[in-house]
Amino acid sequence: MHAPVIAPFFLVSYSILAAIGAPANLLAIIILSRGRCNLSRCITFYLVAIAVTDFFVIMTAVILNRISRIYFRESILSTTPVCTLSVVLVYATRDCSVWLTVAFTIDRFVAICCQKLKTRYCTEKTASLVIGIVCALCCVKNIPFYFIYEPLYILDGISWFCNVKSNFYVWPAWQAYDWFFQIYTPFLPFFVILMLNVLTIRQIMVANRARRRLRGAEKQQDQEMAHRKRSIILLFTVSLSFLLLWAPLVGHFIYVRLKTESYFGGLDFSDPQYIFQEMTNTLQLFSSCNNVFIYAISQNLFRKELMSFLMYPFATLTNSFKRRVE
């Protein structure tokens, strides 16, 4: 039986995600770890942690889970035990990425709006502790997902693919866990990121007005105010990007709950329910490709380091050629 036409479309989408997301996050990890971007160690810790978790999201959710399911349908990755484990890894890495973004937002909020707390909270030790706690909690929180799946079918004694058990939709305990799962990610991050960014932007605007009054009628450009304006744009972009890319997934969850339907678990890639479900997942996965771009690549020093890193092999070959000619 031939795969439906829609399968190559998603295969191309996921291939693009893998081709862009994995190298981009690896480059971010390397460049940020070198510490030449004029960023504090605290900020660098968060950005590197976000890049690492985003890289693992691409590896687990896109390459091992999505691409293998569509393209390598009869590999060991499609057996139920491996499929179930990969789902747990996908959710764990995704939660780590989202909540590390929240943790970084909290750190920046404290740095800008809580000057008395800044010296104690915005430190390397606190950042390391927060990153460790967030990752540990995200892993523990997703362990129950290993027990909600059953084989889609069994062939020659081998169980294939993952299908949500029917009791998942009727047992109160599983329903409570599903609601907690959705509130934990992404409803609560929505609220926290929006609230902290609104408060941070408000603080920046108040400080800008005070600075204008102090400077009086001076006409020359205020570099500090220009920097704060860039901060507002950066924060707004992060919030809006997160909301837009996750909103379809949240809408799908609400639709499933209101219509008392189940999530799609079949292999018919032309099914409208599958198409909508995969589109929401694809948009959500794009959020693992843009956090580092928004936070880091928008910085001039990062771009210079990136160009220097990319041009290093060519510069080495050119210098080697010149030495041989001389």
Side-chain angles (χ1 to χ4, degrees), residues 27-87:
L27 281 174
I29 293 169
I30 295 171
I31 293 172
L32 290 169
S33 298
R34 297 168 72 183
R36 300 178 182 177
C37 297
N38 197 27
L39 298 171
S40 70
R41 294 283 294 172
C42 177
I43 295 176
T44 300
F45 276 22
Y46 282 115
L47 292 180
V48 170
I50 291 172
V52 169
T53 54
D54 282 346
F55 173 77
F56 280 115
V57 169
I58 297 298
M59 294 300 296
T60 57
V62 178
I63 297 176
L64 295 181
N65 190 279
R66 291 296 188 272
I67 292 179
S68 67
R69 184 189 177 196
I70 294 175
Y71 197 68
F72 304 104
R73 295 174 61 179
E74 298 181 357
S75 69
I76 190 174
L77 295 174
S78 297
T79 59
T80 303
V82 178
C83 173
T84 305
L85 179 61
S86 71
V87 169

Side-chain angles (χ1 to χ4, degrees), residues 25 46 48-66 83-102 131 133-143 145 177 181 184-185 189 242 246 249 281 284-289 291:
N25 283 300
Y46 282 115
V48 170
I50 291 172
V52 169
T53 54
D54 282 346
F55 173 77
F56 280 115
V57 169
I58 297 298
M59 294 300 296
T60 57
V62 178
I63 297 176
L64 295 181
N65 190 279
R66 291 296 188 272
C83 173
T84 305
L85 179 61
S86 71
V87 169
V88 175
L89 292 176
V90 167
Y91 286 135
T93 54
R94 185 198 69 170
D95 286 356
C96 286
S97 174
V98 171
W99 280 99
L100 286 176
T101 302
V102 173
I131 291 169
I133 291 175
V134 166
C135 292
L137 289 177
C138 289
C139 291
V140 172
K141 171 252 180 185
N142 287 287
I143 291 176
F145 261 97
Y177 177 76
F181 179 83
Y184 183 86
T185 306
F242 183 83
W246 279 83
L249 191 71
N281 288 326
Q284 172 259 310
L285 289 170
F286 267 112
S287 66
S288 294
C289 297
N291 277 339

Side-chain angles (χ1 to χ4, degrees), residues 52-317:
V52 169
T53 54
D54 282 346
F55 173 77
F56 280 115
V57 169
I58 297 298
M59 294 300 296
T60 57
V62 178
I63 297 176
L64 295 181
N65 190 279
R66 291 296 188 272
I67 292 179
S68 67
R69 184 189 177 196
I70 294 175
Y71 197 68
F72 304 104
R73 295 174 61 179
E74 298 181 357
S75 69
I76 190 174
L77 295 174
S78 297
T79 59
T80 303
V82 178
C83 173
T84 305
L85 179 61
S86 71
V87 169
V88 175
L89 292 176
V90 167
Y91 286 135
T93 54
R94 185 198 69 170
D95 286 356
C96 286
S97 174
V98 171
W99 280 99
L100 286 176
T101 302
V102 173
F104 179 61
T105 305
I106 293 173
D107 179 85
R108 292 301 85 203
F109 168 77
V110 172
I112 295 173
C113 303
C114 308
Q115 294 300 313
K116 293 183 179 180
L117 183 60
K118 175 182 177 180
T119 54
R120 289 181 296 169
Y121 184 82
C122 301
T123 63
E124 299 176 32
K125 183 178 179 180
T126 301
S128 301
L129 182 62
V130 169
I131 291 169
I133 291 175
V134 166
C135 292
L137 289 177
C138 289
C139 291
V140 172
K141 171 252 180 185
N142 287 287
I143 291 176
F145 261 97
Y146 188 83
F147 304 99
I148 73 169
Y149 291 100
E150 63 183 1
L152 185 62
Y153 61 85
I154 298 176
L155 182 63
D156 296 331
I158 301 176
S159 55
W160 292 94
F161 300 101
C162 298
N163 190 42
V164 179
K165 296 178 181 177
S166 58
N167 58 25
F168 176 79
Y169 301 100
V170 295
W171 283 12
W174 281 125
Q175 290 299 289
Y177 177 76
D178 194 29
W179 277 103
F180 166 74
F181 179 83
Q182 296 296 336
I183 291 172
Y184 183 86
T185 306
F187 282 105
L188 188 56
F190 271 18
F191 174 75
V192 174
I193 289 177
L194 277 175
M195 180 184 68
L196 293 183
N197 277 283
V198 167
L199 293 175
T200 303
I201 291 172
R202 179 178 176 274
Q203 177 68 23
I204 292 174
M205 294 178 68
V206 169
N208 282 348
R209 286 197 294 267
R211 190 172 180 85
R212 288 194 194 98
R213 288 195 297 267
L214 289 175
R215 292 181 64 86
E218 292 184 28
K219 300 296 184 181
Q220 65 189 60
Q221 184 179 7
D222 189 339
Q223 295 296 328
E224 180 64 22
M225 289 182 65
H227 173 72
R228 288 174 177 172
K229 287 180 180 179
R230 289 195 297 269
S231 298
I232 293 175
I233 295 172
L234 180 62
L235 291 169
F236 178 76
T237 304
V238 169
S239 301
L240 185 62
S241 172
F242 183 83
L243 288 172
L244 290 177
L245 292 174
W246 279 83
L249 191 71
V250 176
H252 183 234
F253 165 77
I254 295 174
Y255 172 80
V256 169
R257 285 291 164 261
L258 292 179
K259 295 292 185 179
T260 63
E261 296 182 357
S262 61
Y263 295 107
F264 182 85
L267 297 174
D268 184 4
F269 297 147
S270 63
D271 190 298
Q273 188 177 357
Y274 168 82
I275 297 172
F276 178 71
Q277 183 169 296
E278 285 301 293
M279 287 182 66
T280 63
N281 288 326
T282 303
L283 290 174
Q284 172 259 310
L285 289 170
F286 267 112
S287 66
S288 294
C289 297
N290 68 350
N291 277 339
V292 175
F293 286 93
I294 295 172
Y295 280 120
I297 295 184
S298 59
Q299 305 298 314
N300 291 331
L301 285 176
F302 186 93
R303 287 199 297 271
K304 291 179 180 179
E305 286 295 314
L306 177 61
M307 291 302 300
S308 175
F309 182 83
L310 294 176
M311 295 302 295
Y312 178 78
F314 301 101
T316 303
L317 289 174

